[in-house]
Amino acid sequence: MKANLKHMYAVRRNGYGPFRRFLFSASLALCASLIFTGCAPAVSGPGEMSRSEKTAAQPVPAPDAAGVLKVHFIDVGQGDSILLQSGAENMLVDAGNNESGPTVTAYLQSLGVTKLSYLIGTHPHEDHIGGMDDVIRAFDIGTVIMPDVSHTTRTYEDVLDALLEKELRVTRPEPGDTYSLGEADFTILSPAADIAEQAAKDGDLNNLSVGIRLAFGSNAFVMCGDAEAPSEKAMTESGLSLKADVLKLGHHGSSTSTCDEFLQAVSPSCAVISCETDNSYGHPHRETMEKLSASGIRVYRTDEQGTLIATSDGSQITWETAASPGSGEALPGTMQEDAPKAATYVLNKNSMKFHYPDCASVSQMKEANKIYYEGSREEITGMGYSPCSQCNP
């Protein structure tokens, strides 16, 4: 079978006249059928932590891995790549675009990672799996989780090649399945079977995205690739727990994701947006940012702050950037369960002005136009608001 597979690859790449496109699709389909399976055992792997590829020349003392969960939202421009570390185990969710492969592998290697207990490719878009072939070849890989769908692109082919080279099989995501990661565990949230079936028919790769909820103590993180409203609504109707402290926004903050029902079900204190500065898609979209603001959710963005690192001790989450890990200069937004939310500014969504809470203009505003927002001035101006000329916040 392997010999036949190699022959089909050779035929596809060289091409035989009008049959080339057919052979290309057929060989990818056969390839996928050889590596996809319905289940796979959880595996363990060692891993150290705490240094960014951006600051590789500045080593940082690694913290004690016991009792700590670290989630690294790696800056890969307009793409996703998230490293999760608990105890001695590591998991990578997505690997950015094709150009991101060396960046992601270097970042993981700088942390002492040699094995990934889990590798999740949320869906076959290039900005999520482009660097995955580099990752597969650079590390010892345990369980691979990807949606079972054929996609006739060179990027997807590269990933299949790497999987075949290392004789790795792929586990299909089944909502409700739970896996252990060190002292944490994660549950598959999406795609639901009916959503996956329809998405496959429509060629809608975003709604095939693998979604997970990672729990550690009383803290939780939800991340669902580029899942859009149809998949998000299915998750809210699934009966699975979605509540989390941190939500990695779907589809880079696009207005097609983070629907009201889903945001309410997750009810996060913080949101993370992975996108590129001045990207051509306009991500994150203004509608999404206003929705987060209205809910009092603090926002972290890789396009503004670079690689972000969230550290949980099981009850509290602290944030820092990879530019200064361990420096003590933590980002605002340390979260304690049931901690009160203070309003730093009051935004007027009608006039698009923002004010100090004690500004005289605030008392004259209609309550329906008020948004109480805790965050930086830069975040608010980035959302399109301008300062009040009276209180000059």
Side-chain angles (χ1 to χ4, degrees), residues 129-195:
I129 65 163
M132 194 165 288
D133 53 325
D134 291 313
V135 170
I136 292 169
R137 292 185 173 102
F139 301 97
D140 186 9
I141 307 293
T143 299
V144 180
I145 301 175
M146 293 173 62
D148 185 5
V149 59
S150 295
H151 190 46
T152 55
T153 64
R154 179 56 185 268
T155 294
Y156 189 62
E157 175 190 348
D158 289 343
V159 174
L160 295 182
D161 279 342
L163 291 170
L164 286 168
E165 285 173 18
K166 298 190 75 170
E167 299 183 346
L168 293 168
R169 298 183 69 83
V170 176
T171 299
R172 296 182 181 92
E174 296 288 347
D177 283 358
T178 298
Y179 302 81
S180 62
L181 178 74
E183 300 171 76
D185 59 70
F186 66 95
T187 300
I188 303 294
L189 301 177
S190 67
D194 56 337
I195 295 294

Short mmCIF file of all heavy atoms in Angstrom, two decimals, residues 129-195:
data_model
loop_
_atom_site.label_atom_id
_atom_site.label_comp_id
_atom_site.label_asym_id
_atom_site.label_seq_id
_atom_site.Cartn_x
_atom_site.Cartn_y
_atom_site.Cartn_z
N ILE A 129 -2.77 25.67 9.34
CA ILE A 129 -1.95 24.45 9.24
C ILE A 129 -0.71 24.64 8.37
O ILE A 129 0.04 23.69 8.16
CB ILE A 129 -2.77 23.27 8.70
CG1 ILE A 129 -3.21 23.53 7.24
CG2 ILE A 129 -3.96 22.96 9.60
CD1 ILE A 129 -3.67 22.28 6.51
N GLY A 130 -0.47 25.88 7.91
CA GLY A 130 0.66 26.10 6.99
C GLY A 130 2.00 25.67 7.56
O GLY A 130 2.84 25.13 6.85
N GLY A 131 2.22 25.92 8.84
CA GLY A 131 3.50 25.56 9.46
C GLY A 131 3.52 24.20 10.11
O GLY A 131 4.52 23.81 10.74
N MET A 132 2.44 23.44 9.96
CA MET A 132 2.32 22.18 10.70
C MET A 132 3.27 21.11 10.20
O MET A 132 3.74 20.27 10.98
CB MET A 132 0.87 21.69 10.65
CG MET A 132 0.58 20.60 11.66
SD MET A 132 -1.19 20.34 11.90
CE MET A 132 -1.61 21.82 12.82
N ASP A 133 3.59 21.09 8.91
CA ASP A 133 4.53 20.09 8.42
C ASP A 133 5.90 20.28 9.06
O ASP A 133 6.59 19.31 9.39
CB ASP A 133 4.62 20.11 6.90
CG ASP A 133 4.92 21.48 6.32
OD1 ASP A 133 4.44 22.50 6.89
OD2 ASP A 133 5.63 21.56 5.31
N ASP A 134 6.30 21.55 9.26
CA ASP A 134 7.57 21.81 9.95
C ASP A 134 7.53 21.30 11.38
O ASP A 134 8.50 20.71 11.88
CB ASP A 134 7.87 23.31 9.96
CG ASP A 134 8.19 23.86 8.59
OD1 ASP A 134 9.00 23.25 7.88
OD2 ASP A 134 7.62 24.90 8.21
N VAL A 135 6.41 21.53 12.05
CA VAL A 135 6.27 21.08 13.45
C VAL A 135 6.30 19.57 13.53
O VAL A 135 6.97 18.99 14.40
CB VAL A 135 4.95 21.64 14.03
CG1 VAL A 135 4.65 20.99 15.39
CG2 VAL A 135 5.01 23.15 14.18
N ILE A 136 5.59 18.89 12.64
CA ILE A 136 5.55 17.42 12.67
C ILE A 136 6.94 16.84 12.50
O ILE A 136 7.32 15.87 13.17
CB ILE A 136 4.60 16.90 11.57
CG1 ILE A 136 3.16 17.28 11.90
CG2 ILE A 136 4.73 15.39 11.40
CD1 ILE A 136 2.18 17.06 10.76
N ARG A 137 7.73 17.43 11.62
CA ARG A 137 9.07 16.91 11.36
C ARG A 137 10.06 17.27 12.47
O ARG A 137 11.06 16.57 12.67
CB ARG A 137 9.59 17.43 10.01
CG ARG A 137 8.81 16.86 8.82
CD ARG A 137 9.41 17.28 7.50
NE ARG A 137 8.76 16.60 6.37
CZ ARG A 137 7.85 17.16 5.58
NH1 ARG A 137 7.51 18.42 5.76
NH2 ARG A 137 7.30 16.46 4.60
N ALA A 138 9.78 18.34 13.22
CA ALA A 138 10.75 18.82 14.22
C ALA A 138 10.57 18.19 15.60
O ALA A 138 11.51 18.19 16.39
CB ALA A 138 10.65 20.35 14.34
N PHE A 139 9.38 17.63 15.88
CA PHE A 139 9.10 17.15 17.23
C PHE A 139 8.54 15.73 17.22
O PHE A 139 7.98 15.27 16.22
CB PHE A 139 8.10 18.09 17.94
CG PHE A 139 8.58 19.50 18.05
CD1 PHE A 139 8.17 20.45 17.12
CD2 PHE A 139 9.44 19.89 19.06
CE1 PHE A 139 8.62 21.76 17.20
CE2 PHE A 139 9.89 21.20 19.15
CZ PHE A 139 9.49 22.14 18.23
N ASP A 140 8.69 15.07 18.37
CA ASP A 140 8.03 13.80 18.59
C ASP A 140 6.56 14.11 18.81
O ASP A 140 6.22 14.94 19.65
CB ASP A 140 8.65 13.13 19.82
CG ASP A 140 8.12 11.74 20.05
OD1 ASP A 140 7.40 11.21 19.17
OD2 ASP A 140 8.40 11.16 21.12
N ILE A 141 5.67 13.48 18.06
CA ILE A 141 4.25 13.82 18.09
C ILE A 141 3.45 12.64 18.64
O ILE A 141 3.65 11.49 18.23
CB ILE A 141 3.71 14.17 16.68
CG1 ILE A 141 4.58 15.28 16.04
CG2 ILE A 141 2.24 14.58 16.77
CD1 ILE A 141 4.50 16.62 16.72
N GLY A 142 2.53 12.93 19.54
CA GLY A 142 1.65 11.91 20.08
C GLY A 142 0.37 11.81 19.29
O GLY A 142 0.34 11.31 18.17
N THR A 143 -0.73 12.34 19.83
CA THR A 143 -2.04 12.27 19.19
C THR A 143 -2.25 13.47 18.28
O THR A 143 -2.07 14.62 18.71
CB THR A 143 -3.17 12.22 20.24
OG1 THR A 143 -3.00 11.05 21.05
CG2 THR A 143 -4.53 12.18 19.59
N VAL A 144 -2.65 13.20 17.05
CA VAL A 144 -2.97 14.26 16.08
C VAL A 144 -4.48 14.31 15.92
O VAL A 144 -5.11 13.28 15.64
CB VAL A 144 -2.30 14.01 14.72
CG1 VAL A 144 -2.65 15.13 13.74
CG2 VAL A 144 -0.79 13.89 14.88
N ILE A 145 -5.06 15.49 16.10
CA ILE A 145 -6.51 15.66 15.96
C ILE A 145 -6.78 16.67 14.86
O ILE A 145 -6.31 17.81 14.92
CB ILE A 145 -7.16 16.13 17.28
CG1 ILE A 145 -6.89 15.11 18.40
CG2 ILE A 145 -8.66 16.34 17.10
CD1 ILE A 145 -7.38 15.55 19.78
N MET A 146 -7.53 16.24 13.83
CA MET A 146 -7.90 17.11 12.72
C MET A 146 -9.26 16.68 12.20
O MET A 146 -9.62 15.51 12.31
CB MET A 146 -6.87 17.01 11.58
CG MET A 146 -5.49 17.56 11.91
SD MET A 146 -4.28 17.20 10.58
CE MET A 146 -5.02 18.07 9.19
N PRO A 147 -10.02 17.62 11.63
CA PRO A 147 -11.30 17.22 11.02
C PRO A 147 -11.05 16.33 9.81
O PRO A 147 -10.07 16.51 9.09
CB PRO A 147 -11.95 18.56 10.62
CG PRO A 147 -10.79 19.50 10.47
CD PRO A 147 -9.78 19.07 11.48
N ASP A 148 -11.95 15.38 9.61
CA ASP A 148 -11.79 14.41 8.52
C ASP A 148 -12.38 15.01 7.24
O ASP A 148 -13.56 14.82 6.93
CB ASP A 148 -12.51 13.11 8.89
CG ASP A 148 -12.30 12.02 7.86
OD1 ASP A 148 -11.52 12.26 6.90
OD2 ASP A 148 -12.89 10.94 8.00
N VAL A 149 -11.55 15.74 6.51
CA VAL A 149 -12.00 16.38 5.28
C VAL A 149 -10.84 16.43 4.30
O VAL A 149 -9.69 16.65 4.70
CB VAL A 149 -12.54 17.81 5.55
CG1 VAL A 149 -11.48 18.68 6.18
CG2 VAL A 149 -13.09 18.45 4.28
N SER A 150 -11.11 16.21 3.04
CA SER A 150 -10.08 16.33 2.01
C SER A 150 -10.03 17.76 1.51
O SER A 150 -11.07 18.41 1.37
CB SER A 150 -10.37 15.38 0.84
OG SER A 150 -10.30 14.04 1.27
N HIS A 151 -8.84 18.23 1.24
CA HIS A 151 -8.68 19.60 0.76
C HIS A 151 -7.53 19.61 -0.24
O HIS A 151 -6.40 19.26 0.10
CB HIS A 151 -8.39 20.53 1.93
CG HIS A 151 -8.45 21.99 1.58
ND1 HIS A 151 -9.48 22.54 0.85
CD2 HIS A 151 -7.61 23.02 1.89
CE1 HIS A 151 -9.28 23.83 0.72
NE2 HIS A 151 -8.15 24.15 1.33
N THR A 152 -7.80 19.96 -1.48
CA THR A 152 -6.80 19.81 -2.54
C THR A 152 -5.94 21.06 -2.68
O THR A 152 -6.04 21.81 -3.64
CB THR A 152 -7.49 19.51 -3.88
OG1 THR A 152 -8.48 20.52 -4.14
CG2 THR A 152 -8.17 18.16 -3.84
N THR A 153 -5.11 21.29 -1.67
CA THR A 153 -4.13 22.37 -1.75
C THR A 153 -2.75 21.82 -1.45
O THR A 153 -2.61 20.77 -0.79
CB THR A 153 -4.43 23.49 -0.74
OG1 THR A 153 -4.31 22.97 0.60
CG2 THR A 153 -5.83 24.06 -0.94
N ARG A 154 -1.74 22.52 -1.91
CA ARG A 154 -0.37 22.08 -1.64
C ARG A 154 -0.08 22.11 -0.14
O ARG A 154 0.64 21.24 0.38
CB ARG A 154 0.61 22.98 -2.40
CG ARG A 154 2.08 22.62 -2.17
CD ARG A 154 2.38 21.17 -2.53
NE ARG A 154 3.72 20.77 -2.22
CZ ARG A 154 4.74 20.84 -3.07
NH1 ARG A 154 4.56 21.31 -4.29
NH2 ARG A 154 5.95 20.43 -2.72
N THR A 155 -0.65 23.09 0.57
CA THR A 155 -0.43 23.17 2.01
C THR A 155 -0.95 21.93 2.71
O THR A 155 -0.26 21.34 3.56
CB THR A 155 -1.13 24.43 2.57
OG1 THR A 155 -0.50 25.59 2.05
CG2 THR A 155 -1.05 24.47 4.10
N TYR A 156 -2.16 21.50 2.37
CA TYR A 156 -2.74 20.31 2.99
C TYR A 156 -1.93 19.07 2.60
O TYR A 156 -1.68 18.19 3.43
CB TYR A 156 -4.19 20.16 2.54
CG TYR A 156 -4.97 19.10 3.27
CD1 TYR A 156 -5.18 19.17 4.64
CD2 TYR A 156 -5.53 18.02 2.59
CE1 TYR A 156 -5.90 18.20 5.31
CE2 TYR A 156 -6.26 17.05 3.24
CZ TYR A 156 -6.45 17.14 4.61
OH TYR A 156 -7.16 16.18 5.28
N GLU A 157 -1.50 19.02 1.36
CA GLU A 157 -0.67 17.91 0.89
C GLU A 157 0.64 17.82 1.70
O GLU A 157 1.08 16.73 2.08
CB GLU A 157 -0.35 18.09 -0.59
CG GLU A 157 0.62 17.06 -1.14
CD GLU A 157 1.10 17.41 -2.54
OE1 GLU A 157 0.53 18.32 -3.17
OE2 GLU A 157 2.07 16.76 -2.98
N ASP A 158 1.23 18.98 1.98
CA ASP A 158 2.48 19.00 2.76
C ASP A 158 2.27 18.39 4.14
O ASP A 158 3.13 17.67 4.66
CB ASP A 158 3.01 20.42 2.88
CG ASP A 158 3.56 20.97 1.57
OD1 ASP A 158 3.83 20.16 0.66
OD2 ASP A 158 3.71 22.20 1.46
N VAL A 159 1.13 18.71 4.75
CA VAL A 159 0.84 18.16 6.07
C VAL A 159 0.65 16.65 5.98
O VAL A 159 1.19 15.90 6.81
CB VAL A 159 -0.41 18.84 6.68
CG1 VAL A 159 -0.80 18.15 8.00
CG2 VAL A 159 -0.16 20.32 6.92
N LEU A 160 -0.09 16.18 4.98
CA LEU A 160 -0.28 14.74 4.81
C LEU A 160 1.05 14.03 4.57
O LEU A 160 1.29 12.94 5.10
CB LEU A 160 -1.24 14.47 3.66
CG LEU A 160 -2.68 14.94 3.83
CD1 LEU A 160 -3.51 14.54 2.61
CD2 LEU A 160 -3.31 14.40 5.10
N ASP A 161 1.91 14.65 3.77
CA ASP A 161 3.23 14.08 3.53
C ASP A 161 3.99 13.87 4.84
O ASP A 161 4.58 12.82 5.09
CB ASP A 161 4.05 14.99 2.62
CG ASP A 161 3.70 14.83 1.14
OD1 ASP A 161 3.10 13.81 0.78
OD2 ASP A 161 4.02 15.75 0.36
N ALA A 162 3.98 14.92 5.68
CA ALA A 162 4.71 14.86 6.95
C ALA A 162 4.12 13.79 7.86
O ALA A 162 4.86 13.05 8.54
CB ALA A 162 4.69 16.23 7.63
N LEU A 163 2.79 13.67 7.89
CA LEU A 163 2.14 12.65 8.71
C LEU A 163 2.53 11.24 8.23
O LEU A 163 2.82 10.36 9.04
CB LEU A 163 0.63 12.81 8.66
CG LEU A 163 0.05 14.05 9.36
CD1 LEU A 163 -1.42 14.21 9.01
CD2 LEU A 163 0.23 13.96 10.87
N LEU A 164 2.53 11.05 6.93
CA LEU A 164 2.89 9.75 6.38
C LEU A 164 4.34 9.40 6.63
O LEU A 164 4.68 8.25 6.94
CB LEU A 164 2.59 9.72 4.89
CG LEU A 164 1.10 9.63 4.51
CD1 LEU A 164 0.91 9.91 3.02
CD2 LEU A 164 0.53 8.26 4.88
N GLU A 165 5.22 10.39 6.51
CA GLU A 165 6.64 10.15 6.75
C GLU A 165 6.89 9.62 8.15
O GLU A 165 7.75 8.76 8.37
CB GLU A 165 7.42 11.45 6.56
CG GLU A 165 7.61 11.87 5.11
CD GLU A 165 8.24 13.24 5.00
OE1 GLU A 165 8.83 13.71 6.01
OE2 GLU A 165 8.13 13.87 3.93
N LYS A 166 6.13 10.13 9.13
CA LYS A 166 6.33 9.70 10.52
C LYS A 166 5.31 8.65 10.94
O LYS A 166 5.22 8.33 12.13
CB LYS A 166 6.28 10.92 11.43
CG LYS A 166 7.39 11.92 11.11
CD LYS A 166 7.54 13.01 12.14
CE LYS A 166 8.21 12.52 13.40
NZ LYS A 166 8.58 13.65 14.31
N GLU A 167 4.55 8.15 9.96
CA GLU A 167 3.57 7.08 10.20
C GLU A 167 2.60 7.45 11.32
O GLU A 167 2.28 6.64 12.20
CB GLU A 167 4.28 5.75 10.50
CG GLU A 167 5.17 5.28 9.34
CD GLU A 167 5.82 3.94 9.60
OE1 GLU A 167 5.81 3.48 10.76
OE2 GLU A 167 6.32 3.34 8.64
N LEU A 168 2.12 8.68 11.28
CA LEU A 168 1.16 9.17 12.27
C LEU A 168 -0.26 9.04 11.73
O LEU A 168 -0.50 9.29 10.55
CB LEU A 168 1.44 10.63 12.60
CG LEU A 168 2.74 10.92 13.33
CD1 LEU A 168 3.04 12.42 13.33
CD2 LEU A 168 2.67 10.40 14.77
N ARG A 169 -1.16 8.62 12.58
CA ARG A 169 -2.57 8.56 12.22
C ARG A 169 -3.31 9.73 12.86
O ARG A 169 -2.83 10.30 13.83
CB ARG A 169 -3.18 7.22 12.63
CG ARG A 169 -2.52 6.04 11.90
CD ARG A 169 -3.17 4.74 12.27
NE ARG A 169 -4.52 4.60 11.74
CZ ARG A 169 -4.79 4.20 10.50
NH1 ARG A 169 -3.81 3.90 9.67
NH2 ARG A 169 -6.03 4.08 10.10
N VAL A 170 -4.46 10.05 12.31
CA VAL A 170 -5.20 11.22 12.75
C VAL A 170 -6.49 10.80 13.46
O VAL A 170 -7.22 9.95 12.96
CB VAL A 170 -5.53 12.14 11.57
CG1 VAL A 170 -6.39 13.32 12.01
CG2 VAL A 170 -4.23 12.65 10.93
N THR A 171 -6.75 11.42 14.60
CA THR A 171 -7.98 11.19 15.34
C THR A 171 -9.04 12.20 14.93
O THR A 171 -8.77 13.41 14.91
CB THR A 171 -7.72 11.32 16.86
OG1 THR A 171 -6.76 10.34 17.26
CG2 THR A 171 -9.00 11.11 17.65
N ARG A 172 -10.22 11.71 14.59
CA ARG A 172 -11.32 12.60 14.26
C ARG A 172 -11.86 13.23 15.54
O ARG A 172 -12.01 12.56 16.56
CB ARG A 172 -12.46 11.83 13.57
CG ARG A 172 -12.10 11.23 12.23
CD ARG A 172 -13.32 10.52 11.64
NE ARG A 172 -13.01 9.90 10.35
CZ ARG A 172 -12.60 8.65 10.19
NH1 ARG A 172 -12.44 7.88 11.26
NH2 ARG A 172 -12.35 8.15 8.99
N PRO A 173 -12.18 14.52 15.52
CA PRO A 173 -12.74 15.16 16.71
C PRO A 173 -14.17 14.74 16.95
O PRO A 173 -15.01 14.78 16.03
CB PRO A 173 -12.66 16.66 16.35
CG PRO A 173 -12.73 16.69 14.85
CD PRO A 173 -12.02 15.46 14.38
N GLU A 174 -14.47 14.31 18.15
CA GLU A 174 -15.82 13.91 18.53
C GLU A 174 -16.25 14.76 19.72
O GLU A 174 -15.70 14.62 20.81
CB GLU A 174 -15.87 12.42 18.91
CG GLU A 174 -15.54 11.46 17.78
CD GLU A 174 -16.66 11.37 16.75
OE1 GLU A 174 -17.77 11.86 17.04
OE2 GLU A 174 -16.41 10.82 15.65
N PRO A 175 -17.22 15.66 19.54
CA PRO A 175 -17.66 16.50 20.67
C PRO A 175 -18.01 15.67 21.89
O PRO A 175 -18.70 14.65 21.80
CB PRO A 175 -18.89 17.23 20.11
CG PRO A 175 -18.62 17.32 18.63
CD PRO A 175 -17.93 16.01 18.29
N GLY A 176 -17.49 16.09 23.03
CA GLY A 176 -17.70 15.38 24.28
C GLY A 176 -16.52 14.53 24.69
O GLY A 176 -16.38 14.20 25.89
N ASP A 177 -15.65 14.16 23.74
CA ASP A 177 -14.46 13.39 24.10
C ASP A 177 -13.52 14.26 24.93
O ASP A 177 -13.30 15.43 24.61
CB ASP A 177 -13.72 12.91 22.84
CG ASP A 177 -14.40 11.72 22.19
OD1 ASP A 177 -15.42 11.25 22.72
OD2 ASP A 177 -13.93 11.28 21.12
N THR A 178 -12.97 13.67 25.98
CA THR A 178 -12.09 14.41 26.90
C THR A 178 -10.73 13.73 26.96
O THR A 178 -10.63 12.50 27.00
CB THR A 178 -12.71 14.49 28.30
OG1 THR A 178 -13.95 15.21 28.23
CG2 THR A 178 -11.79 15.23 29.27
N TYR A 179 -9.68 14.55 26.98
CA TYR A 179 -8.31 14.07 27.03
C TYR A 179 -7.58 14.77 28.19
O TYR A 179 -7.90 15.90 28.54
CB TYR A 179 -7.57 14.40 25.73
CG TYR A 179 -8.20 13.84 24.48
CD1 TYR A 179 -9.28 14.48 23.88
CD2 TYR A 179 -7.70 12.69 23.88
CE1 TYR A 179 -9.85 13.98 22.71
CE2 TYR A 179 -8.26 12.18 22.72
CZ TYR A 179 -9.33 12.83 22.14
OH TYR A 179 -9.89 12.33 20.99
N SER A 180 -6.59 14.08 28.75
CA SER A 180 -5.79 14.69 29.82
C SER A 180 -4.53 15.30 29.24
O SER A 180 -3.93 14.76 28.31
CB SER A 180 -5.43 13.65 30.88
OG SER A 180 -4.65 12.61 30.32
N LEU A 181 -4.14 16.44 29.80
CA LEU A 181 -2.89 17.11 29.44
C LEU A 181 -2.22 17.49 30.74
O LEU A 181 -2.53 18.53 31.34
CB LEU A 181 -3.16 18.35 28.59
CG LEU A 181 -1.92 19.16 28.19
CD1 LEU A 181 -1.13 18.43 27.10
CD2 LEU A 181 -2.30 20.56 27.72
N GLY A 182 -1.30 16.65 31.20
CA GLY A 182 -0.67 16.91 32.49
C GLY A 182 -1.72 16.96 33.58
O GLY A 182 -2.52 16.04 33.76
N GLU A 183 -1.77 18.10 34.29
CA GLU A 183 -2.75 18.27 35.37
C GLU A 183 -4.04 18.91 34.87
O GLU A 183 -4.96 19.15 35.66
CB GLU A 183 -2.14 19.13 36.47
CG GLU A 183 -0.89 18.53 37.09
CD GLU A 183 -0.19 19.51 38.02
OE1 GLU A 183 -0.69 19.70 39.14
OE2 GLU A 183 0.83 20.09 37.62
N ALA A 184 -4.10 19.19 33.58
CA ALA A 184 -5.30 19.78 32.98
C ALA A 184 -6.01 18.73 32.15
O ALA A 184 -5.53 17.61 31.97
CB ALA A 184 -4.91 20.98 32.11
N ASP A 185 -7.18 19.09 31.64
CA ASP A 185 -7.86 18.24 30.66
C ASP A 185 -8.61 19.12 29.68
O ASP A 185 -8.92 20.27 29.97
CB ASP A 185 -8.80 17.24 31.34
CG ASP A 185 -9.88 17.92 32.17
OD1 ASP A 185 -10.78 18.54 31.58
OD2 ASP A 185 -9.83 17.83 33.41
N PHE A 186 -8.85 18.57 28.50
CA PHE A 186 -9.59 19.34 27.51
C PHE A 186 -10.67 18.48 26.87
O PHE A 186 -10.52 17.27 26.73
CB PHE A 186 -8.68 19.95 26.44
CG PHE A 186 -7.98 18.98 25.53
CD1 PHE A 186 -8.52 18.64 24.29
CD2 PHE A 186 -6.77 18.40 25.90
CE1 PHE A 186 -7.87 17.75 23.44
CE2 PHE A 186 -6.11 17.51 25.06
CZ PHE A 186 -6.66 17.18 23.82
N THR A 187 -11.76 19.16 26.51
CA THR A 187 -12.92 18.50 25.92
C THR A 187 -13.14 19.03 24.52
O THR A 187 -13.06 20.25 24.29
CB THR A 187 -14.18 18.76 26.77
OG1 THR A 187 -13.96 18.25 28.09
CG2 THR A 187 -15.40 18.08 26.17
N ILE A 188 -13.41 18.13 23.58
CA ILE A 188 -13.74 18.54 22.21
C ILE A 188 -15.14 19.15 22.20
O ILE A 188 -16.10 18.55 22.71
CB ILE A 188 -13.69 17.35 21.25
CG1 ILE A 188 -12.30 16.66 21.28
CG2 ILE A 188 -14.05 17.79 19.83
CD1 ILE A 188 -11.17 17.50 20.76
N LEU A 189 -15.27 20.35 21.63
CA LEU A 189 -16.55 21.05 21.56
C LEU A 189 -17.17 21.01 20.17
O LEU A 189 -18.40 21.07 20.03
CB LEU A 189 -16.37 22.52 21.97
CG LEU A 189 -15.84 22.81 23.36
CD1 LEU A 189 -15.68 24.32 23.54
CD2 LEU A 189 -16.77 22.25 24.44
N SER A 190 -16.34 20.96 19.15
CA SER A 190 -16.84 21.06 17.77
C SER A 190 -15.86 20.37 16.83
O SER A 190 -14.71 20.12 17.20
CB SER A 190 -17.00 22.53 17.37
OG SER A 190 -15.74 23.18 17.29
N PRO A 191 -16.36 20.04 15.59
CA PRO A 191 -17.67 20.37 15.03
C PRO A 191 -18.71 19.29 15.35
O PRO A 191 -18.39 18.10 15.39
CB PRO A 191 -17.39 20.43 13.53
CG PRO A 191 -16.31 19.40 13.33
CD PRO A 191 -15.45 19.46 14.57
N ALA A 192 -19.96 19.71 15.55
CA ALA A 192 -21.06 18.77 15.71
C ALA A 192 -21.25 18.01 14.40
O ALA A 192 -20.94 18.53 13.32
CB ALA A 192 -22.34 19.51 16.09
N ALA A 193 -21.79 16.81 14.47
CA ALA A 193 -21.89 15.94 13.29
C ALA A 193 -22.69 16.59 12.17
O ALA A 193 -22.28 16.55 11.00
CB ALA A 193 -22.51 14.61 13.68
N ASP A 194 -23.83 17.21 12.49
CA ASP A 194 -24.65 17.80 11.44
C ASP A 194 -23.99 19.03 10.84
O ASP A 194 -24.08 19.27 9.63
CB ASP A 194 -26.05 18.15 11.97
CG ASP A 194 -26.01 19.07 13.17
OD1 ASP A 194 -24.98 19.11 13.88
OD2 ASP A 194 -27.02 19.77 13.41
N ILE A 195 -23.30 19.81 11.68
CA ILE A 195 -22.57 20.97 11.18
C ILE A 195 -21.43 20.52 10.27
O ILE A 195 -21.20 21.09 9.19
CB ILE A 195 -22.02 21.81 12.34
CG1 ILE A 195 -23.16 22.42 13.16
CG2 ILE A 195 -21.09 22.91 11.83
CD1 ILE A 195 -23.99 23.44 12.43
#
